[in-house]
Amino acid sequence: MGILDIADNHSNYITMYAVRGKQFGHEVISAQCTVDYVLKFLETDKTVQRDMIEKQVSAISKYIQYGLDGNDIYFPPLIFSDRGKGEFDMDNDQFRLKTEDTMVVLDGQHRIRAFEMLKKRLESRTDSESKNKLKYIKNFPLSIQIFKDLSIEQERQLFTDVNTKSSKVSNTLLIMYKDNDLSGELIKDIIYNHPSISPDKFEIRSKSTTTKLMTAATLYNISLTLNDGILIRNSASSKITKENYPVYKKNLEEFLTLLMKYAPDNALDRKKYFIMNPNVLQGIAKCIHSLREQNPNFNMEDLFEKSIRLFDWSQKNKELKQAGIPYNTKTKKYRFSVGTRISSKISELLLKKYSINKGKVLNV
C-alpha cells in the first residue's frame, strides 16, 4: 500500500492504495498514509474521544525520538470514521478523499499529536540535521483503518473497545528488544552474565514482578541513577560510552551483588519488606551516587554494611511516616508510588543512618 497525490479537472484529492474488507459487520478500508497527509485530514470529535493526556503524548514523543536516532519503530494502525467522506475505487484499489475533507480519529490521537509536536519543533530549526529529521517525520508511514457509515454510538463503542481491550508493550520488553542503546545493552549484559545472579532472577517481559528480583526496566533505571544520578529515565542524558562501559558494568554488578548479600532474608516477600520496590532501589542507588560524588573512591560496601544492613525494611518502620512517606491505614502498608520523591526520601534516610554509624565500630 502507498499514497498518491492526484489532481483532476474537478477537485484535488488525497488518494491512497487500499484494500476493502469487513470488521464487526462494517465496511473498513485499510491503507497506508504519511504523517504529513494524516495531519491534513485529521479531525477530533470530543464527544467521541477522551481529552488529550499530555504524559502519554510525551512518552510517545520519546519513542519517535528513538526512531529519529536511527532505530526501527512501529505503531499499530490509526482508526478513523469516514462520516460519509471519501470513496473507494474498486477498479484501481484506491481510496480517494477530497483535500478539504476530514475524517474523525477514533484511535491514535496521542500518536498523531506526538508527531505533530515534533514536526512543529523541527520546522523552527534550520540546521541540516533538523531538516533531515523533519523529512523523516513528515514521510513516516502510518497504517490506517477507515470505518464507513458508523453512527455516533458505534463510534463511541469502537473507541471504548479499542482502548479497554488493548495492552501496551512494557518498558521491560522494549529494553530487551531494542538496539543501539548502550544503556540497554548494559542491562542485557548484566542479566545474562552476572557472576552470581542467574538470568531467571530477572523479569524480562512483564512491566512488574512479585516473585523475581526485579524487571529489566527497573534495572535500567537503577543503572541511570547509580552511574549518572538520573532519577527520571532519559537514556539520552546518560554519559555512558564504550570507553566507560566497563566502569558502569562493574558498578551495577557490585550493586546487585551487595544487594543480595545485605538485603533481609526473604526480601522478595514484598508484603513484608519494601526494599525491592523499584523507587526504593533507585533511592539506594541515589544514595551511593551522592556519596561517590563527594568521594570518587567511596567503597560501596561501606554503605551496605553501615546503613542498608541496619535499616528497617519492614512495613512496621515508623521512621518512614516521620519522613513523609504515605501510609495506608487500612492495609497498614506504605505507598511507594510517588516516584522521585520516594527515591529522594529513601536516599536521605540512608545517608542519615550512614552518617550516624560510620564513626562507630560495628559487629558485622
Side-chain angles (χ1 to χ4, degrees):
M1 292 185 288
I3 183 166
L4 302 169
D5 186 15
I6 294 177
D8 58 27
N9 295 328
H10 303 287
S11 180
N12 292 326
Y13 289 87
I14 294 174
T15 302
M16 295 165 267
Y17 292 117
V19 294
R20 184 170 65 172
K22 278 199 170 184
Q23 287 187 20
F24 310 116
H26 293 277
E27 183 178 348
V28 60
I29 309 297
S30 298
Q32 193 176 72
C33 185
T34 64
V35 165
D36 210 28
Y37 278 102
V38 169
L39 289 171
K40 291 179 180 179
F41 61 70
L42 174 75
E43 179 186 343
T44 302
D45 184 343
K46 291 189 176 181
T47 65
V48 176
Q49 273 282 2
R50 59 185 166 183
D51 290 335
M52 196 74 70
I53 303 172
E54 293 304 324
K55 184 177 179 180
Q56 189 170 334
V57 174
S58 177
I60 296 171
S61 295
K62 290 178 182 178
Y63 182 55
I64 299 171
Q65 185 62 56
Y66 176 64
L68 288 171
D69 292 338
N71 302 285
D72 293 328
I73 59 175
Y74 167 78
F75 289 100
L78 308 176
I79 300 178
F80 288 88
S81 175
D82 73 336
R83 292 192 176 178
K85 308 290 179 59
E87 58 184 24
F88 183 74
D89 181 348
M90 289 187 295
D91 295 331
N92 297 300
D93 290 328
Q94 294 176 354
F95 179 77
R96 295 162 46 119
L97 182 72
K98 290 181 179 180
T99 53
E100 66 267 23
D101 285 343
T102 59
M103 294 187 294
V104 173
V105 62
L106 300 182
D107 183 61
Q109 69 162 339
H110 290 89
R111 278 164 268 165
I112 292 300
R113 173 63 175 160
F115 273 110
E116 185 179 27
M117 284 176 58
L118 288 172
K119 178 173 176 280
K120 288 180 178 178
R121 191 180 306 163
L122 291 167
E123 283 174 337
S124 65
R125 301 174 183 173
T126 57
D127 59 285
S128 58
E129 183 181 358
S130 294
K131 288 181 179 179
N132 289 332
K133 288 183 176 181
L134 177 60
K135 184 178 179 182
Y136 172 91
I137 291 289
K138 293 172 70 173
N139 294 310
F140 189 90
L142 293 170
S143 296
I144 64 173
Q145 291 184 320
I146 305 163
F147 280 82
K148 296 186 67 63
D149 304 321
L150 296 180
S151 66
I152 296 294
E153 290 73 20
Q154 289 168 332
E155 287 179 354
R156 289 172 180 161
Q157 184 62 53
L158 182 57
F159 168 80
T160 302
D161 288 347
V162 168
N163 284 281
T164 57
K165 297 178 181 178
S166 62
S167 60
K168 297 178 181 178
V169 176
S170 69
N171 285 330
T172 292
L173 204 56
L174 286 174
I175 288 166
M176 298 305 295
Y177 279 5
K178 69 182 180 181
D179 298 317
N180 300 322
D181 175 6
L182 202 53
S183 292
E185 292 303 314
L186 171 63
I187 298 315
K188 286 180 273 192
D189 191 356
I190 293 289
I191 288 174
Y192 293 118
N193 299 300
H194 192 281
S196 60
I197 304 175
S198 61
D200 62 1
K201 298 297 183 182
F202 298 94
E203 176 54 61
I204 61 173
R205 296 189 63 83
S206 301
K207 66 179 181 179
S208 61
T209 181
T210 57
T211 57
K212 297 187 179 183
L213 186 61
M214 65 187 69
T215 67
T218 296
L219 186 59
Y220 189 104
N221 292 339
I222 290 171
S223 179
L224 290 179
T225 307
L226 181 69
N227 289 303
D228 295 303
I230 299 170
L231 281 177
I232 300 175
R233 189 164 111 192
N234 181 2
S235 61
S237 299
S238 176
K239 296 178 182 177
I240 189 170
T241 63
K242 290 182 179 179
E243 288 70 30
N244 64 25
Y245 182 95
V247 176
Y248 277 54
K249 180 179 179 181
K250 179 179 178 297
N251 289 340
L252 193 54
E253 278 186 348
E254 185 180 7
F255 177 91
L256 291 173
T257 300
L258 293 173
L259 180 67
M260 296 298 287
K261 180 179 179 180
Y262 289 100
D265 294 337
N266 302 318
L268 293 184
D269 183 353
R270 289 166 167 86
K271 292 181 179 179
K272 184 175 181 180
Y273 298 108
F274 59 85
I275 189 171
M276 293 304 175
N277 177 276
N279 292 325
V280 171
L281 289 171
Q282 275 192 271
I284 298 173
K286 176 177 170 60
C287 183
I288 295 168
H289 182 269
S290 298
L291 290 167
R292 281 209 167 143
E293 278 197 316
Q294 299 170 26
N295 176 14
N297 297 317
F298 173 74
N299 182 357
M300 195 186 299
E301 188 162 11
D302 201 39
L303 177 72
F304 275 87
E305 284 183 337
K306 297 173 182 175
S307 181
I308 294 170
R309 177 177 69 89
L310 304 172
F311 196 80
D312 181 3
W313 295 106
S314 75
Q315 293 286 347
K316 297 179 180 179
N317 186 337
K318 296 180 180 179
E319 193 177 2
L320 299 185
K321 285 185 184 178
Q322 298 171 358
I325 293 178
Y327 184 76
N328 189 320
T329 54
K330 291 183 178 180
T331 62
K332 295 183 179 180
K333 291 180 181 178
Y334 289 96
R335 292 188 288 110
F336 299 98
S337 58
V338 197
T340 57
R341 179 171 173 269
I342 293 296
S343 300
S344 296
K345 288 293 183 182
I346 292 295
S347 177
E348 290 170 8
L349 289 170
L350 291 175
L351 283 171
K352 179 181 177 182
K353 184 170 285 292
Y354 177 68
S355 66
I356 293 171
N357 292 327
K358 67 179 179 179
K360 298 180 180 179
V361 177
L362 302 171
N363 294 320
V364 179

